Amino acid sequence: MAEKKETAQKPKKASTKATAKAGSTKAPKEEKQPAKKATKKPTMAQMKKVNALVIALSDASRRARQDASHELAELAHIAPLAFEEHIDSLIDALYRPEAQTRWEVLDALAHLSEHFGDQVFKAFDAAEASLFDDDSATVRLAAFLFLCQYGATSAKHSDEAWPLLDEAVQCYHGDAEYHDMLQGLLALAHGTISKDVKKALSQRMNLMRKMPLDTLSSIRKRLFQLPSNLICL
C-alpha cells in the first residue's frame, strides 16, 4: 500500500511543450512574402519559333502577318524571354495597315513589358496612335491595356502611361470596350505606381462616382473599394 501511495504522489513530468514555451527566447517569425514565380527559360524550339514568326511579320501577305502575330501573342504569355532580341521588330509591326496584326502585337508587348519595360517604351508613339484609332475598337482596347500593363511595372512607367490613359478613359466612356478598360485600370491600381498617379487615379474615380448609379459597373465598384495603401479614394 505504501508503494502505491508513493507512486500516486510522484510528481508529474512537466510538459515539454510548456517548458519550451516558457523558456523560449526565439523571436516571432516574420511573415513570409509570397515568392515571385521565376520565369522559365525558353526552349530552343520556342526561340526558333519566335524568330520565324517575327520574320513573318514582314511578309507581303496580310494573312501571313495576321497569323504570325496571333501566334506571337500566345507565345508571349508562355515564353516571354524568347523575345529578348525581337522587341524592336514587334514595335515595327505596330505600323502594319491591318488592325489584327496591331492588336495582337500590342497584346504581346503588354505581357513583355514586365520583362523588357525600357525597351517596350519605344512602342509608345505607335501605342498612342492605336489608342485613338478611328476604325478599330479592338485596336484601341489593346493599346489601352498595353499602357495599363506597362504603367503597372514601375512608378516611372506609370507616370509615362497615365496621361494617355486618363485622356482615353474620358474619350471612350460608354463605348462597348469601356468595361474592359476599367479592368485595365484596376490592374494598374494594383501595380507599382507613383504617388502622383495614385492621386490622379483617385481624382478620376471620384469624378466617376458622380455619374448615375445605373451606369456603375462591378469593375467601377471594385475600383472604388481599393484599399488605401493602393489608392486613396
Side-chain angles (χ1 to χ4, degrees):
M1 287 294 290
E3 200 175 301
K4 282 183 182 177
K5 190 175 181 183
E6 191 177 325
T7 306
Q9 290 175 348
K10 193 174 180 180
K12 289 183 180 179
K13 192 176 180 181
S15 167
T16 53
K17 198 178 269 187
T19 306
K21 190 175 180 182
S24 175
T25 55
K26 198 175 181 181
K29 286 184 181 178
E30 289 184 14
E31 194 175 329
K32 287 184 179 178
Q33 295 297 324
K36 194 175 179 181
K37 196 175 179 182
T39 306
K40 288 183 181 179
K41 285 185 71 174
T43 64
M44 188 59 70
Q46 287 171 331
M47 293 179 75
K48 286 181 177 178
K49 182 72 171 172
V50 168
N51 188 60
L53 291 170
V54 166
I55 291 170
L57 288 175
S58 299
D59 196 277
S61 163
R62 176 186 58 82
R63 173 60 65 188
R65 295 194 300 266
Q66 289 179 171
D67 290 345
S69 65
H70 179 70
E71 288 191 63
L72 285 167
E74 292 181 341
L75 279 165
H77 292 252
I78 302 165
L81 299 185
F83 288 79
E84 187 173 4
E85 305 297 325
H86 302 292
I87 303 300
D88 287 345
S89 296
L90 290 179
I91 293 170
D92 181 66
L94 292 176
Y95 295 96
R96 301 295 181 269
E98 65 278 0
Q100 183 178 347
T101 297
R102 285 181 281 134
W103 82 58
E104 300 281 16
V105 170
L106 281 164
D107 180 47
L109 288 169
H111 289 277
L112 296 175
S113 62
E114 183 181 348
H115 304 279
F116 311 108
D118 291 334
Q119 288 174 267
V120 166
F121 174 71
K122 290 183 282 186
F124 249 61
D125 288 344
E128 181 176 4
S130 294
L131 186 61
F132 299 102
D133 187 294
D134 292 329
D135 300 321
S136 174
T138 309
V139 168
R140 292 196 297 268
L141 176 60
F144 188 90
L145 296 179
F146 159 73
L147 291 168
C148 287
Q149 189 74 25
Y150 174 82
T153 57
S154 75
K156 176 190 170 188
H157 295 165
S158 69
D159 287 334
E160 292 160 350
W162 174 252
L164 288 175
L165 293 172
D166 190 36
E167 184 179 356
V169 83
Q170 295 172 71
C171 288
Y172 301 124
H173 181 268
D175 287 9
E177 66 271 23
Y178 190 68
H179 180 270
D180 292 324
M181 286 182 166
L182 292 179
Q183 284 187 306
L185 285 184
L186 187 62
L188 175 71
H190 281 281
T192 310
I193 61 178
S194 70
K195 289 181 180 179
D196 287 344
V197 171
K198 284 182 183 180
K199 184 178 178 181
L201 183 53
S202 169
Q203 291 170 343
R204 178 57 53 209
M205 291 302 103
N206 281 328
L207 287 173
M208 289 170 66
R209 280 180 187 274
K210 296 173 184 177
M211 295 172 188
L213 288 176
D214 58 355
T215 66
L216 271 176
S217 70
S218 60
I219 299 296
R220 282 179 61 190
K221 289 174 183 174
R222 286 170 65 193
L223 276 167
F224 296 153
Q225 293 164 5
L226 284 173
S228 58
N229 65 320
L230 290 175
I231 179 171
C232 299
L233 292 173

